[in-house]
């Protein structure tokens, strides 16, 4: 079985994504994690591009061990000198990666050079880099749009000049899998000295085909893939490392001939580090590392996963280091998952109670994006234990603003009698809560307060969820209104009623 060399270019091509710029310290932190992940080569940067990038590549080469450190260079001697100087301290090996475009469009309009001049420059640059290190990679940029005959000539020449890896970039993400695979096979057939070099692939995602193209290339004889964590990179990005590695591992039947030495349990952690430091949020539906990659909300899927995981999961989440909850409750969930979640929370309901609680859950899930654990507890308390509504909310009014001491007047009813109290507080919500405490004579501590919009638009309904403690008792409360202060007061009173009914005095109040 051949080794599939994983060449990580998160710190070079990944960092070229607008907005992804990393400083020296951040690059080192990512490089260290890439070593823990087990990549074979780290393309740490483009040393000529800035003094900061030179320093970052140089620091990585000096401090990050156990991996080949690569620096990118144009076919220009000062770039190659800088790449050499920056990568020189690498103990695991230093690689110089020289690139030069070979497609007609790039040669004519960008480089303004003819084929012969390109061939000469490519060969001389590789020879020049070869003076510095044994490990030289050459990339004919835009290879997939290069005239095949010219591409074969360039590859043969650079291998003769000493290139040990020849990379075939699909620079603009133009290729599609069958075509790209055929290109790799034709290189095997038409470049006489190809056996002296490793064929590498470097695919961009402009048509969403970067991973598919890379995999097809591996099937066709490529033995190095250039990729980035989370697929970040120029424009639509590069081929995503985690997708390639997990595809090769999961579909061993299709890739029996290669193996990648990646410690896959580190994938999720690496993804989150790169996301945090670049500021590029990972889409929830991103393969392998998206938040939803291993989560199920649909009842039929949840039921299947509970009965046999592999009905809907082709990868074990722990294989990529994902440890979050896999069953998410929402409007598409079914009874099996609902019951399981309750059981996990230590709540056992069955028969009619379960039917009722499930109906209420569906109603709530229709309104809310997320059904939290506290919502479940509150739902069970409301629907199953049915606490008596000892105090009813009659009215709330409040005053607040700049240079105004927040105050609230709350009017509650109990057994037909009205009670009204005005109180001040740290804000209108606090003033309401103090007024309710005074009327009910229940002393509380607010443990948690959460507010979210359950409908959209200017008249959105705000729902407040609170967790309130009195003595040793804790109760959840929920309240909704288009006025968030009123919703807050309702939620608090809902919790206070539960506390009162949990330990009623003769008049339904808790002892102070
Ligand atoms: C496909 C890829 O990802 S390639 C890598 C792309 N990455 C980057 O460009 C990031 C870092 N780049 C930089 O910091 C700068 O572009 C530098 C330092 C490399 C060069 O900066 P400048 O000297 O100011 O040149 P500028 O970027 O404006 O133009 C590029 C020049 O390099 C030439 N060039 C482009 N590719 C190559 C190459 N592979 N070999 C030789 N020359 C090249 C261009 O033709 C142009 O030359 P010209 O000035 O004679 O017209
Ligand atoms: C420098 C080369 C390999 C590149 O990034 C590309 O062609 O996309
Ligand atoms: Mg690229």
């Amino acid at each position: 079985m051949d080794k599939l060399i994983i060449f990580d270019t998160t710190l070079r091509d990944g960092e070229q994504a607008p907005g992804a710029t990393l400083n020296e310290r951040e690059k080192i932190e990512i490089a260290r994690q890439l070593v823990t992940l087990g990549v074979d080569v780290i393309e740490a940067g483009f040393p000529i591009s800035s003094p900061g990038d030179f320093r970052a590549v140089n620091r990585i080469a000096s401090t990050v061990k156990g991996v080949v450190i690569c620096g990118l260079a144009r076919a220009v001697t000062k770039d190659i000198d800088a790449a050499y100087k920056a990568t020189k301290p690498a103990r695991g090996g230093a690689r110089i990666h020289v690139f030069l475009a070979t497609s007609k469009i790039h040669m004519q309009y960008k480089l303004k050079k003819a084929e012969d001049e390109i061939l000469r420059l490519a060969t001389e640059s590789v020879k020049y880099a070869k003076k510095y290190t044994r490990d030289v990679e050459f990339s004919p940029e835009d290879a997939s749009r290069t005239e095949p005959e010219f591409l074969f000539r360039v590859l043969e020449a650079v291998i003769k000049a000493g290139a040990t890896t020849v990379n075939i970039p699909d620079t603009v993400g133009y290729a599609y899998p069958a075509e790209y695979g055929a290109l790799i096979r034709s290189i095997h057939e038409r470049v006489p000295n190809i056996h002296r070099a490793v064929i590498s692939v470097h695919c961009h995602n402009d048509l969403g085909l970067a991973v598919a193209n890379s995999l097809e290339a591996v099937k066709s004889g490529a033995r190095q893939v250039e990729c980035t964590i989370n697929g970040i990179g120029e424009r639509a990005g590069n081929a995503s490392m985690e997708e390639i590695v997990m595809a090769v591992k999961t579909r061993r039947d299709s890739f029996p001939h290669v193996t990648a030495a990646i410690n896959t349990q580190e994938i999720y952690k690496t993804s989150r580090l790169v996301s945090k430091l670049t500021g590029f949020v990972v889409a929830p539906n991103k393969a392998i590392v998206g938040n939803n990659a291993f989560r199920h909300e649909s009842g039929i899927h949840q039921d299947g996963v509970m009965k046999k995981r592999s009905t809907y999961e082709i990868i074990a989440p722990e294989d990529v280091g994902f440890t979050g909850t896999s069953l998410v409750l929402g409007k598409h969930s079914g009874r099996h998952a609902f019951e399981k979640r309750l059981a996990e929370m230590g709540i056992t309901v069955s028969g009619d109670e379960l039917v009722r609680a499930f109906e209420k859950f569906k109603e709530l899930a229709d309104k809310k994006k997320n059904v939290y654990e506290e919502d479940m507890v509150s739902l069970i308390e409301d629907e199953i234990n049915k606490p008596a509504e000892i105090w009813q909310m009659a009215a709330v009014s409040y005053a607040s603003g700049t240079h105004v001491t927040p105050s609230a007047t709350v009017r509650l009813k109990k057994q037909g009698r009205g009670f009204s109290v005005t109180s001040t507080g740290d804000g209108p919500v606090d003033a309401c809560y103090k007024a309710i405490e005074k009327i009910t004579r229940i002393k509380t501590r607010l443990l948690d307060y959460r507010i979210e919009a359950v409908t959209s638009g200017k008249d959105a309904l705000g729902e407040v969820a609170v967790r309130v403690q009195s003595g040793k008792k804790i109760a959840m409360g929920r309240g909704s209104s288009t006025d968030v202060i009123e919703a807050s007061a309702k939620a608090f009173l809902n919790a206070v009623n539960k506390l009162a009914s949990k330990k009623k005095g003769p008049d339904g109040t808790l002892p102070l």
Side-chain angles (χ1 to χ4, degrees), residues 16 54 111 137 142 232 250 362 428 508:
Q16 280 175 209
F54 179 93
L111 300 171
E137 172 168 334
D142 205 15
I232 64 168
T250 309
K362 279 278 184 178

Side-chain angles (χ1 to χ4, degrees), residues 12-13 202 204 238:
R12 199 280 296 173
D13 212 326
H202 176 114
H204 279 272
N238 287 64

Side-chain angles (χ1 to χ4, degrees), residues 89-115:
R91 301 233 186 93
R95 176 178 297 187
I96 298 175
H97 178 185
V98 180
F99 73 98
L100 183 63
T102 50
S103 63
K104 275 208 164 111
I105 183 170
H106 278 238
M107 291 190 294
Q108 183 179 347
Y109 295 102
K110 184 181 79 175
L111 300 171
K112 302 187 192 311
K113 289 186 185 358
E115 279 189 355

Side-chain angles (χ1 to χ4, degrees), residues 12-13 16 46 48-50 72-76 78-79 99-101 110-111 121 141 171 204 234:
R12 199 280 296 173
D13 212 326
Q16 280 175 209
F46 193 166
I48 196 72
S49 68
S50 74
L72 186 66
R74 289 173 297 177
V76 171
K78 66 174 179 184
D79 285 30
F99 73 98
L100 183 63
K110 184 181 79 175
L111 300 171
L121 255 180
E141 188 189 353
T171 303
H204 279 272
E234 281 279 351

